[in-house]
Amino acid sequence: MTEQTPYAPPAEAQLQYVHLEKLYGYLPGLTESLPTIFGVQPEEYAAILGRFDARARAAAESLLADAAFADRVALLPFEPGARVLAVGDSITDDLQSWAEILRHVLALGRPDGQLTVVNAGLSAHTSAMILRRWPSMLHPVPDWIICGLGGNDVTRIAGGKTQVSLAESVANLRELHRVAVERTRARWVWLTPVPVDETRAGQHRPFQYGASSWRNSDITALADAMRSFDEPVVDLVRSFGVPARSDLQGADGVHPSLAGEQQIVRALVDLLTGQRLDPGRTSDASSRDASSSDPYDSVQD
């Protein structure tokens, strides 16, 4: 690999975002072979995963140390025993992502709720790629679906077109929702793509090697389209700013920092515990009424 690829990241950097068991878990012996595949001993493999989980838990504890946030977590409209499916790309697949932090937030802040968060994020996947495997991802049937796709749709290769056009991205996202409505009674929440730091991304060696680039104009165009969706939308363009606030973006300019992943959780919790939502309403702290008992009364199951 090192002879052919100028950039060969260490095992820990790969394991943060690459989870082969999600893609090829049906292959006999894959799980047992993962340490060898990543070039580490089983003990070190387990230790790496443990370190990421500890960071996600610490991020959750930090959020819950804010009494106002902890109060909002208690108001989240998840019924006891609910199964929450987190769908997305590497920003979700990340072992210290918003989905992992949310899992710990619910375990710590709602310990009697028996709530399950399933991280179904798949790094490097576009909306079209997720659509191909979507029906199988709906088993077991979720009660909630939180979908944060689009960041790879707008990736440009060698300065060319986006991987998925804006019109096709919107069509794919709507199709994901249509299939879920037919097969489940899950409540649905959208996350817009996260703005990038174009300069950081342009200087990142792996992105240079793959000739991958992102434009905030593409990201904001997709976010603008998503605001018209009938389901609730968490507006991460508004939460992160354009370009993304420096402390919320990681070193590569595309993947949020741990603080950025916490920001996604805050925005999501704000939306879910905010005022009664009209269809398509985005998270807006300035017009929130925390007294509403169920912000989803106006959204069909």
Side-chain angles (χ1 to χ4, degrees):
M1 179 175 178
T2 54
E3 292 177 357
Q4 299 177 7
T5 306
Y7 178 76
E12 186 152 353
Q14 296 182 53
L15 284 169
Q16 184 171 357
Y17 299 106
V18 180
H19 308 119
L20 300 178
E21 64 276 16
K22 292 184 181 180
L23 294 169
Y24 307 112
Y26 57 85
L27 295 177
L30 175 72
T31 302
E32 296 79 6
S33 301
L34 287 173
T36 301
I37 290 172
F38 287 96
V40 295
Q41 294 299 315
E43 296 79 9
E44 177 59 14
Y45 179 85
I48 291 171
L49 299 188
R51 287 194 289 273
F52 282 121
D53 188 61
R55 292 183 197 123
R57 181 185 174 94
E61 291 172 340
S62 175
L63 288 171
L64 288 166
D66 177 350
F69 178 85
D71 288 344
R72 291 196 296 276
V73 169
L75 295 174
L76 285 169
F78 300 142
E79 295 295 329
R83 183 181 183 86
V84 181
L85 182 66
V87 185
D89 47 38
S90 54
I91 291 175
T92 301
D93 201 7
D94 183 348
L95 288 183
Q96 52 190 37
S97 75
W98 65 268
E100 298 300 324
I101 296 170
L102 178 64
R103 177 170 60 84
H104 284 295
V105 162
L106 295 178
L108 296 168
R110 296 275 297 274
D112 298 328
Q114 297 183 313
L115 302 169
T116 300
V117 177
V118 179
N119 188 338
L122 289 169
S123 294
H125 275 53
T126 65
S127 60
M129 295 165 72
I130 293 293
L131 181 59
R132 174 63 181 84
R133 61 177 67 246
W134 185 229
S136 65
M137 295 171 71
L138 296 175
H139 297 282
V141 176
D143 300 292
W144 288 77
I145 297 172
I146 304 173
C147 183
L149 286 167
N152 287 303
D153 289 34
V154 300
T155 307
R156 293 177 182 265
I157 307 301
K161 71 176 192 66
T162 58
Q163 287 200 88
V164 182
S165 71
L166 175 59
E168 190 65 15
S169 291
V170 171
N172 289 339
L173 295 176
R174 291 188 183 280
E175 189 69 1
L176 288 168
H177 181 261
R178 182 194 67 81
V179 173
V181 168
E182 287 185 354
R183 294 168 179 258
T184 78
R185 291 182 56 81
R187 293 177 171 185
W188 190 288
V189 179
W190 299 100
L191 306 178
T192 71
V194 174
V196 301
D197 184 316
E198 295 181 19
T199 301
R200 285 190 201 177
Q203 295 171 347
H204 192 57
R205 285 184 61 200
F207 297 157
Q208 291 176 342
Y209 178 71
S212 299
S213 63
W214 290 261
R215 299 176 186 174
N216 278 319
S217 58
D218 294 327
I219 291 170
T220 56
L222 180 53
D224 288 345
M226 292 177 68
R227 292 187 190 101
S228 70
F229 289 179
D230 290 336
E231 303 74 40
V233 180
V234 179
D235 190 344
L236 297 178
V237 170
R238 181 178 301 168
S239 293
F240 276 66
V242 182
R245 240 175 58 195
S246 180
D247 62 310
L248 300 181
Q249 263 298 357
D252 66 13
V254 171
H255 296 94
S257 63
L258 188 57
E261 296 285 4
Q262 287 180 301
Q263 182 78 350
I264 296 174
V265 177
R266 285 192 194 95
L268 175 63
V269 170
D270 280 354
L271 181 77
L272 291 176
T273 59
Q275 70 177 29
R276 190 178 304 276
L277 296 173
D278 295 324
R281 181 177 176 80
T282 58
S283 177
D284 185 349
S286 66
S287 60
R288 193 171 296 118
D289 177 7
S291 65
S292 174
S293 60
D294 187 353
Y296 278 82
D297 284 349
S298 62
V299 179
Q300 291 183 350
D301 289 340

